Amino acid sequence: MNTSQNSVPRLLIIGAGFAGLKAAAEAAKYNLAITVVDRRNHHTFQPLLYQVATAGLSPGEIAAPIRGVLRKYSNVEVLLGEVDSFDLEQKKVGLRDGSDLLYDYLIVASGATHSYFGHNEWEELARGLKTVEDATEIRRRVLLAFELAERQAHISGHAEPVHFVVVGGGPTGVELAGTLAEVASKALARNFRHIDPRTTRILLLEGGPRILPAYPPDLSRSAQEQLERLGVQVRTSAQVTGVEPGQVRVGEEILPASVTLWAAGVRASSLGRKLGVEVDRAGRVIVSPDLSVPGHPEVFVVGDLANLKDPKTGNLLPGLAPVAMQEGHHAAWNIGRDLKSKRREPFHYIDKGTMATIGRAAAIAQIGKLHVSGFIAWIMWLFVHIMYLVGFRNRILVMLEWAWSYLTYQRSARLITGSTYLPGWNAQQHEHESEELSVEQERARARLA
Amino acid sequence: MNTSQNSVPRLLIIGAGFAGLKAAAEAAKYNLAITVVDRRNHHTFQPLLYQVATAGLSPGEIAAPIRGVLRKYSNVEVLLGEVDSFDLEQKKVGLRDGSDLLYDYLIVASGATHSYFGHNEWEELARGLKTVEDATEIRRRVLLAFELAERQAHISGHAEPVHFVVVGGGPTGVELAGTLAEVASKALARNFRHIDPRTTRILLLEGGPRILPAYPPDLSRSAQEQLERLGVQVRTSAQVTGVEPGQVRVGEEILPASVTLWAAGVRASSLGRKLGVEVDRAGRVIVSPDLSVPGHPEVFVVGDLANLKDPKTGNLLPGLAPVAMQEGHHAAWNIGRDLKSKRREPFHYIDKGTMATIGRAAAIAQIGKLHVSGFIAWIMWLFVHIMYLVGFRNRILVMLEWAWSYLTYQRSARLITGSTYLPGWNAQQHEHESEELSVEQERARARLA
């Protein structure tokens, strides 16, 4: 199929996040043969991942099969595949399984991943939150911490509080810390006999002078107050210098951490560097005002992988879903302009406001000059996020889940799946688990043999 | 806690399946200090696992945290732990982490697992369906088979049908085969561009002369007809002699199998043998009529792990949820009789009827002498199963999911999580995946270092 020359121009879109899906939907209007490639079969609604990590929603409720979402566009096809290389001269993309995809137009929208600031060894102990797998792993660790504390208290007769440390005071860190506080104080409160989850210590560490630094200082302050009201201890100007089993270092200080969560930094997908064009220090591709790559008008980079300054403010456009969606749409629209032999237009971001949630009935929002906090901001947040949730069925279900858990404080997706090993929990558990791991390793080896 | 002598007798229940939960609920009425130990934190509603495996329901919808279910019983506590050994003389149970639990009464309800009839090497290729992890792994493989077929067709220009082979014509095999047919012919029908999921071949292999052998012959025949109407090919008297990557052997015949599912046999949990009392060939513990272990009136075995003949028919009681629930209840009730210094009663199973689902609007049911097939049997099945589903919230959600998917044919929990490796798919894929596995292995090693 690939090798035959088609009269219809081929558009290849890499990544089915917010940017990629919006690009596909816009491009479907034109006379293009569109292929969307993603290494997962589902689009993940990242703004609600923290709800999966804290057992409020199931993965299926915040993820939708890409094929299902794009099914209605007859000129769009979807391929599961991992992109490995680019040949911009030959207009060819190589997949990991060795096959090639040819294109006339290319939109790269492969997003961002966690950054551990050169400490990749922290990743295993301090999981970040970008994928469904990350979310279920964090859920496993959070729930397991309470289970192991209960078992230890049952055996020793002595209850020790559970400690959660969230590293990074951006939107993800804030919503994780706030929601963990709610889980510990409400959802789990009467579920244990030997420990009291309400004694759980939740510590939010931010390296800079204030949390949510992208927001105005008054909203940062409000967010910190709302977090503290929920029982979260916030420490700013706290640089993490070490992540170890059961503890986190800030300078010389050692802080206990049953579970450490990472929300401190992102870097661009490695595909940016593989393009062979100019990237910034974070690996983002520096794009022209029309979102194409300089020297390659047929190649666009959009979403978190793109580095573009807002011409109005001179600031880099932030890695937010609205930016990604507008960029994805605009790149496809510019391709449409090409097909109609019209001049491309530069991209302009329309800021409709930003918001961050903190917990139950707690949020902040900025809409132009309007700053909103607390319950009203939370209702706005809820409304906007549920409305944008991909797929009609999911919207209703999530709304019901939310209404149910708001009224009852219950969190129902409390599943620990996979192993019952928690890094750094205790030596005995660790030792036993190592047997299990070697069985897994042996099995993997046997499978490959 | 364990070492202190309590005046209240301690009841230890191992396993929080249907039998264990019913035992705990009944025992909670008496003056007992009850501990429920399970190696998972959630109760799994096994009769609906096939819906998770076929992407109709999310794991969170058919599993409930054990703590949540038992929270209301103030004399019941829940421990996450894996039982490793028994000391019936010292009345002591050893956990895998090295700690001991003492008891005055013990109810063992650890259930059953898959049996590969001595061919444990088939397990990796032909996954069984007993746990949430099994179900999401089967879902991953089923969805991935279509994704890889689409990719291969895109590259080669030649579409090959996907082949599913379900081994075992009991209730699980029948519902898996029937639902897979529905998924292929309806839910996925318009989602692909290069392959047509309606060409999917689904083969159900049964070793005996008819499927659903526990039911009367007329219902077996009806079930087979209903399956064939859904597009499933049924082969009886077909003994599987080999499970290999991409194929299954029946005698000398080689049958293509993109994915093989195992529903052919169960064996009792290994804890039966660890009790050191008499077990049958399948590892089930032979119990006295009051459900206790001969020589140990303080130890009960219930559910799929128990071997007890129905005094009315002389047949072994089958491994069904109603049997497990009634046994669990009865064992706890007999302990209550002890406490009231009354004579224990033998267990009598009350058969309220059995039913098996086949697919959309297709099922069979036997209630005493009444044999029902088709839509009416399916409505009965649906009603009974949703009513029994643990946890009120889940019932509503599952009912909504079902109504939605009945009306739209959609299956929304279509998530592939974890790796995109499919055993035996193709060499190239395999080779690439081996790199990924070694990274995982290295990471596991690093974690243990």
Side-chain angles (χ1 to χ4, degrees), chain A residues 48 50-52 54-62 139 179 182 187 360 378 381-382 386 389 392-415, chain B residues 57-65 389 391-401:
Chain A
L48 291 183
Y50 80 98
Q51 280 289 340
V52 174
T54 55
L57 294 173
S58 281
E61 289 164 340
I62 60 130
R139 180 177 75 183
T179 314
E182 188 193 318
R360 190 184 175 75
W378 184 74
W381 179 90
L382 201 63
I386 291 178
L389 194 55
F392 171 66
R393 165 194 160 278
N394 279 357
R395 264 181 232 171
I396 296 176
L397 268 185
V398 169
M399 197 108 70
L400 278 170
E401 286 272 1
W402 229 295
W404 181 258
S405 84
Y406 190 81
L407 293 170
T408 64
Y409 285 99
Q410 288 311 302
R411 300 185 82 77
S412 307
R414 273 158 48 196
L415 267 64
Chain B
L57 294 173
S58 280
E61 288 164 341
I62 60 131
L389 192 55
F392 171 67
R393 166 193 158 279
N394 279 357
R395 266 182 230 170
I396 297 178
L397 268 185
V398 169
M399 196 110 68
L400 278 170
E401 285 273 0

Side-chain angles (χ1 to χ4, degrees), chain B residues 114-117 128 166-170 172-173 205-207 240 261-266:
Chain B
H114 319 292
S115 165
Y116 289 84
F117 309 124
V166 180
V167 183
T172 302
L205 298 177
E206 163 60 36
V240 170
L261 305 182
W262 191 259
V266 294

Side-chain angles (χ1 to χ4, degrees), chain B residues 194-212:
Chain B
H194 300 278
I195 60 165
D196 183 353
R198 286 168 298 185
T199 63
T200 302
R201 315 254 169 90
I202 297 150
L203 179 60
L204 179 64
L205 298 177
E206 163 60 36
R210 61 187 176 94
I211 61 168
L212 298 175

Side-chain angles (χ1 to χ4, degrees), chain A residues 1 6 21-22 25 97 123 156 176 183 192 198 209 240 259 296 306 333 342 353 368 370 379 416:
Chain A
M1 299 259 172
N6 241 314
L21 283 187
K22 276 283 168 185
D97 71 356
E123 187 172 3
S156 70
L176 274 174
V183 169
F192 295 85
R198 286 169 297 185
V240 170
V259 179
H296 285 281
W333 182 81
K342 289 185 178 168
L370 184 66
I379 289 291
I416 297 175

Side-chain angles (χ1 to χ4, degrees), chain A residues 183-205:
Chain A
V183 169
S185 66
K186 300 287 182 182
L188 298 180
R190 291 171 307 277
N191 275 247
F192 295 85
R193 301 285 178 253
H194 300 278
I195 61 165
D196 183 352
R198 286 169 297 185
T199 63
T200 302
R201 314 252 169 92
I202 297 149
L203 179 59
L204 178 64
L205 298 175

